[in-house]
Amino acid sequence: MSAFRKDMNAENPALSYLDEAIPHEAGHLIVGKAVGLPARGLDFNVTRLPDGRIAIGDFATLVYSPPDEEIPNMEKKLKASLMLLTAGGVAGNIYVGQKVGQGADADRKELARLTNKPLEELAEMAQPIIHKRRDAFRQLMSRIKEAFLEKLNDPTLQTGRHNLLTEQDLEAIYYEKQPDAPVQAVDPSKVAMGASLATNPMGTYIDEAIAHESGHIVVANECGITVHEMYVMLTRGERGYEVGDFATESEDPSNEQIAEMNEALKTGFALFVAGGVAGNKFDGLNQITEGAASDREELERFTDRSLEEVSEDALLIVTEQRRRFRRIKSVARQRFQDLVKDSGLQTGRHTLLNEGDLQGIFNKK
């Protein structure tokens, strides 16, 4: 993904230009990571002019871009992920209150290869992804600006393409600021038996995370809210896998849509958001952990009631639906164990339960 070009004086960078370019690239990076298409890095081009000024070329988020001949037969889920990734740049601009500028032209052309949906519509769909990962988004913006100014103030900087952030830099930011938990590593050799993870902190985190997402899912179903999948982010490393955030992909209305909602629907979404904490409570974790911080902020979009209060109401639903809750937990945990035992598993987003799996559980008597 690339865009944004402007002449800049090396001693006095046009920060207004950066203000537009940086959230755009951070949006691509965050959305790409979330949909299982992490970037290999972030580059930018420069041209040193004879008078000493520097012309800044395009910023480029290094991500997968399929050739035209592969697109017609592409898996629907991959195409949908690519569409969101492409729209993520504009979503980043909108998230910080900016209008869609000319810098989005390259994204618009890329998107036209995948769909006839307008860029603005898909950017709106990408907004909740950034909102959930807003801490990482802000950290990325800060780090991009810092790295860019370091490069620009280097008197030896020459014409050419220069790296701002490597893949390793990006991974460090994602896992420092991920919404649910600090990075932890799991050795695939230690998950051969189902109970082995439960005896260590890594297993405790996984149990809490799966119970949390299972709570969201059970309450969503009761409130008529569609859940598309439960997934986990995994990064392959020397010690096995670094486990990122577990998440529930679901309906996520915009602030404009919420403003037009009736109170009953708002209450349903509030219960859904609090369902994660309710799942943990039902599972015996009475305290609300730091991982619920994103739920607390999300809840404020629907109600002024506290997460503690709404989660008690959601707990009634989880208790009533405890068989389904336990079934979702059991299947998700088994799927996770199967994933990390796969020697060929790659870094990215991995589905534990898709919409069909969930419907099967809910339809089972």
Side-chain angles (χ1 to χ4, degrees):
M1 307 292 167
S2 60
F4 303 112
R5 180 169 295 160
K6 193 177 182 75
D7 287 350
M8 300 176 67
N9 185 301
E11 296 179 356
N12 183 24
L15 296 181
S16 60
Y17 161 64
L18 288 183
D19 287 343
E20 183 180 354
I22 287 175
H24 188 94
E25 300 307 325
H28 281 312
L29 292 165
I30 285 293
V31 174
K33 179 67 174 178
V35 300
L37 296 171
R40 303 186 305 279
L42 175 64
D43 290 357
F44 78 112
N45 288 313
V46 298
T47 301
R48 184 169 286 280
L49 304 175
D51 60 4
R53 289 182 306 145
I54 291 177
I56 304 301
D58 56 335
F59 281 70
T61 296
L62 310 179
V63 291
Y64 169 66
S65 181
D68 290 340
E69 60 269 20
E70 289 185 8
I71 293 175
N73 298 319
M74 183 177 290
E75 180 185 1
K76 288 183 179 180
K77 185 174 180 180
L78 175 57
K79 183 180 286 188
S81 295
L82 282 166
M83 289 158 55
L84 287 170
L85 164 64
T86 304
V90 168
N93 291 128
I94 294 173
Y95 190 78
V96 298
Q98 298 171 347
K99 295 181 179 179
V100 180
Q102 291 183 349
D105 290 348
D107 294 337
R108 212 177 292 278
K109 290 179 182 178
E110 177 69 12
L111 193 63
R113 299 198 305 132
L114 300 165
T115 180
N116 57 8
K117 289 180 180 292
L119 178 60
E120 290 77 6
E121 178 183 336
L122 287 163
E124 183 69 24
M125 294 171 64
Q127 286 289 302
I129 297 175
I130 295 176
H131 179 72
K132 181 174 182 181
R133 296 159 179 81
R134 53 197 172 276
D135 288 344
F137 176 76
R138 291 172 184 135
Q139 179 69 12
L140 267 173
M141 289 199 298
S142 176
R143 186 68 191 96
I144 293 169
K145 184 174 182 179
E146 179 185 355
F148 177 80
L149 293 179
E150 286 176 0
K151 292 283 188 183
L152 207 62
N153 290 325
D154 180 357
T156 66
L157 187 68
Q158 298 299 314
T159 294
R161 181 169 178 165
H162 298 270
N163 180 252
L164 287 176
L165 295 175
T166 66
E167 187 172 3
Q168 291 71 28
D169 294 332
L170 295 172
E171 289 299 324
I173 294 171
Y174 297 142
Y175 287 117
E176 178 187 352
K177 296 294 184 181
Q178 66 171 309
D180 295 318
V183 61
Q184 302 192 51
V186 56
D187 184 342
S189 67
K190 296 181 179 178
V191 295
M193 296 181 63
S196 62
L197 281 173
T199 61
N200 58 56
M202 183 71 254
T204 299
Y205 161 60
I206 292 168
D207 283 342
E208 290 177 4
I210 290 177
H212 190 92
E213 302 309 323
S214 298
H216 281 310
I217 291 169
V218 166
V219 175
N221 183 70
E222 187 69 14
C223 295
I225 297 168
T226 300
V227 170
H228 303 297
E229 64 175 323
M230 181 201 296
Y231 67 85
V232 62
M233 298 299 301
L234 293 173
T235 298
R236 191 174 183 85
E238 293 181 0
R239 293 183 297 154
Y241 296 97
E242 291 182 341
V243 181
D245 55 327
F246 286 75
T248 297
E249 190 75 21
S250 61
E251 296 178 24
D252 198 340
S254 66
N255 290 334
E256 291 76 13
Q257 290 171 322
I258 293 172
E260 298 177 358
M261 276 185 186
N262 60 47
E263 288 305 313
L265 188 53
K266 280 187 184 179
T267 298
F269 272 101
L271 288 167
F272 162 51
V273 173
V277 169
N280 289 135
K281 287 183 176 181
F282 183 82
D283 220 36
L285 180 65
N286 292 320
Q287 67 183 54
I288 297 181
T289 64
E290 292 181 4
S294 58
D295 290 341
R296 195 181 296 279
E297 291 194 29
E298 180 70 9
L299 187 65
E300 293 175 356
R301 300 173 67 216
F302 298 98
T303 180
D304 57 4
R305 298 174 67 199
S306 69
L307 181 60
E308 289 80 0
E309 184 181 0
V310 182
S311 66
E312 287 298 317
D313 293 342
L315 180 57
L316 298 176
I317 297 174
V318 175
T319 302
E320 182 179 338
Q321 299 292 326
R322 54 190 174 275
R323 289 186 179 179
R324 288 170 170 168
F325 172 80
R326 289 169 178 153
R327 178 61 178 160
I328 291 169
K329 264 183 50 184
S330 175
V331 175
R333 185 180 174 83
Q334 184 60 56
R335 296 274 178 86
F336 175 81
Q337 291 174 343
D338 290 342
L339 276 175
V340 296
K341 286 188 288 186
D342 180 357
S343 60
L345 190 68
Q346 299 301 310
T347 293
R349 168 175 169 167
H350 298 277
T351 300
L352 297 176
L353 292 165
N354 60 34
E355 193 168 345
D357 295 327
L358 294 172
Q359 285 304 312
I361 291 172
F362 290 128
N363 292 335
K364 188 174 181 180
K365 300 296 184 181

